[in-house]
């Protein structure tokens, strides 16, 4: 089946509303080939970002089942693929390949020869068992940049453990500072370890690719969810290393400034922050609370941090007299940071979310129009494009094989030898 998108006439998402916009320059990763040998989230997300920038991403999937995320999420779409899969696999081609078979590995090696980057996220040791590890494939392509994504890295006492976001959040310390004081453990609402690792892997892959272009030598990248989560812990671990005080959950508050959190209003909650002395004095003036300026408990930021709970109680005595929208408008008008607490639907459908095109739609052969999260950063000279819908399982197998020089007879021979069978 061919893609339903017309690539020759397609405009990037950031320009689709402007028919007079000039055609963009070639995407920065045009001509770069990526083998996506990953499943679920961190690896597929990283490879999708590369695809958005123009890379030719070939997703190598197990025959029959494909990426585990195709059947995940607990609810059915029109076709067999989940909405989660559809939101992490645009701009890719799918090749269904049995890496456990000798024929499948032979074909994999041929694909490696044509690739610039490979991303995999099997448990450490699995790719070596399959004879698809870095030391094996680099013999066929020394310039290959090979990234392994795992839960805890390729070495160390925890290396063999299953790699999931929940475990990484717990074991990195992230969950120790998430939630409210004295409450039960709470994970971050979004998969910060998974997505964070995907982002770190992407920046490492691009840096290594630039190096390989200059030297002709690729390299191996070892990325983990555990280390990605730790890398996000700047404020929290700074408090521990600086003061010797173990960080604790603070709800929506911030351990460096107060007030800086969600506060109660007449009709719910909103967020605000007076993160320096100038803003604090301006806040007291706006609330018409000169008593707070004179209160010795709130004189300086360290004082306010030490008395955070009573500070918020005092502020909420005034905040509960007006609605959240009224306070947000009033605070923003005088230069104090404030914001409404939106649900995801409200955020994506907000005037600003629509302006920034954070919900885009992709034509899909099974689903018709399918929603995708838009591009999180905007490149003005070479804006990202949705060039391909998320692929059907094995949709591009024949197409890719012919590109690397296999004719029909060779494909039939590989088929007979189990290269594409589950």
């Amino acid at each position: 089946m061919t893609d339903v998108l017309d690539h020759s006439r397609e405009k990037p998402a950031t320009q689709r509303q402007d028919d007079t916009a000039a055609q963009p320059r070639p995407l920065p990763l045009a001509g770069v080939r990526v083998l996506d040998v990953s499943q679920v989230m961190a690896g597929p997300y990283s490879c999708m970002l590369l695809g958005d920038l123009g890379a030719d991403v070939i997703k190598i999937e197990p025959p029959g089942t494909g990426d585990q995320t195709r059947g995940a999420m607990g609810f059915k779409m029109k076709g067999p693929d989940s909405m989660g899969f559809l939101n992490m696999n645009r701009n890719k081609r799918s090749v269904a390949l049995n890496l456990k078979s000798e024929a499948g590995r032979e074909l994999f090696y041929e694909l490696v020869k044509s690739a610039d980057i490979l991303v995999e996220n099997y448990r450490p040791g699995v790719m070596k068992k399959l004879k698809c590890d870095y030391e094996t494939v680099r013999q066929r392509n020394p310039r290959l940049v090979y990234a392994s994504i795992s839960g805890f890295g390729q070495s160390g006492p925890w290396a063999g453990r299953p790699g999931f976001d929940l475990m990484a959040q717990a074991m990195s310390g992230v969950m120790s500072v998430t939630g409210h004081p004295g409450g039960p453990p709470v994970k971050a609402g979004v998969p910060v370890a998974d997505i964070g690792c995907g982002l770190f892997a992407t920046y490492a892959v691009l840096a290594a690719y630039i190096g390989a272009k200059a030297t002709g030598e690729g390299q191996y990248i070892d990325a983990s969810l555990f280390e990605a989560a730790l890398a996000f812990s700047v404020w929290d671990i700074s408090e521990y290393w600086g003061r010797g005080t173990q960080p604790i959950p603070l709800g929506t508050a911030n351990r460096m400034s107060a007030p800086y959190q969600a506060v109660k209003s007449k009709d719910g909650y909103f967020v605000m922050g007076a993160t320096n002395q100038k803003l604090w004095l301006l806040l007291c003036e706006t609330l018409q609370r000169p008593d707070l300026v004179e209160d010795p408990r709130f004189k300086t930021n360290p004082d306010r941090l030490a008395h955070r709970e009573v500070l918020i109680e005092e502020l909420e005595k005034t905040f509960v007299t007006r609605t959240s929208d009224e306070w947000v408008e009033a605070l923003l008008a005088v230069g104090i940071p404030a914001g409404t607490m939106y649900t995801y639907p409200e955020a994506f459908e907000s005037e600003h979310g629509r302006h920034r095109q954070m919900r885009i739609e992709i034509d899909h052969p099974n689903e018709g129009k399918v929603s995708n999260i838009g591009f999180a950063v905007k490149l003005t000279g070479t804006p990202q494009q949705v060039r391909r819908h998320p692929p059907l399982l094995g949709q591009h197998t024949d197409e890719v094989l012919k590109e690397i020089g296999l004719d029909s007879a060779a494909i039939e021979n590989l088929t007979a030898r189990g290269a594409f069978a589950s």
Side-chain angles (χ1 to χ4, degrees), residues 89-307:
N89 290 281
R90 65 184 177 227
N91 287 329
K92 300 180 183 181
R93 297 190 285 172
S94 173
V95 171
L97 189 60
N98 181 9
L99 296 180
K100 296 180 180 179
S101 70
E102 183 179 349
R105 285 193 296 273
E106 289 176 8
L107 181 51
F108 179 73
Y109 297 151
E110 290 301 312
L111 289 169
V112 163
K113 292 178 183 178
S114 71
D116 300 286
I117 296 164
L118 185 153
V119 178
E120 65 90 9
N121 68 348
Y122 284 88
R123 193 182 299 193
V126 171
M127 289 297 275
K128 185 172 184 178
K129 185 177 180 181
L130 293 172
K131 300 179 182 178
C132 297
D133 57 300
Y134 177 63
E135 292 303 323
T136 299
V137 301
R138 70 181 296 196
Q139 305 303 319
R140 287 140 174 109
N141 183 355
R143 62 182 174 79
L144 183 70
V145 173
Y146 188 119
S148 289
I149 293 174
S150 62
F152 299 95
Q154 300 297 307
S155 63
W158 300 344
R161 295 191 180 195
F164 291 91
D165 180 84
L166 177 63
M167 288 68 196
Q169 284 198 36
M171 299 177 73
S172 66
V174 167
M175 285 178 62
S176 74
V177 297
T178 307
H180 290 275
V186 177
K187 75 176 183 67
V190 295
V192 293
D194 259 324
I195 297 297
C197 186
L199 293 172
F200 285 125
T202 302
Y203 107 90
V205 159
L206 292 175
Y209 173 72
I210 293 170
K213 291 282 285 184
T215 66
E217 290 291 325
Q219 62 175 295
Y220 183 70
I221 295 167
D222 179 359
S224 80
L225 276 63
F226 173 72
E227 288 156 285
L230 281 175
F232 283 152
S233 305
V234 176
W235 287 134
D236 311 275
I237 200 63
S238 293
E239 178 182 30
Y240 176 66
W241 285 337
R243 299 177 57 189
T245 303
Q246 180 172 310
I248 62 171
L250 294 175
T252 63
N254 180 275
R255 61 188 74 256
M256 298 297 175
S257 302
Y260 183 87
Q261 64 181 82
V263 290
K264 190 174 184 180
S265 68
K266 185 176 183 179
D267 63 346
Y269 287 85
F270 68 98
V271 294
M272 54 76 58
T275 54
N276 57 45
Q277 195 66 13
K278 178 181 178 181
L279 289 175
W280 165 247
L281 296 175
L282 186 58
L283 175 65
C284 295
E285 179 183 343
T286 303
L287 299 184
Q288 298 181 11
R289 292 289 303 272
D291 58 303
L292 298 180
V293 176
E294 301 303 322
D295 194 316
R297 296 172 299 177
F298 312 139
K299 280 289 185 182
T300 67
N301 186 58
D303 294 329
R304 294 190 289 276
L305 284 170
H307 301 92

Side-chain angles (χ1 to χ4, degrees), residues 34-38 42-52 55 57 88 90-92 118-119 198 202:
V34 178
L35 300 185
D36 178 3
V37 196
S38 66
Y45 188 80
S46 175
C47 292
M48 182 184 72
L49 296 180
L50 298 173
D52 288 349
V57 180
M88 286 184 290
R90 65 184 177 227
N91 287 329
K92 300 180 183 181
L118 185 153
V119 178
T202 302

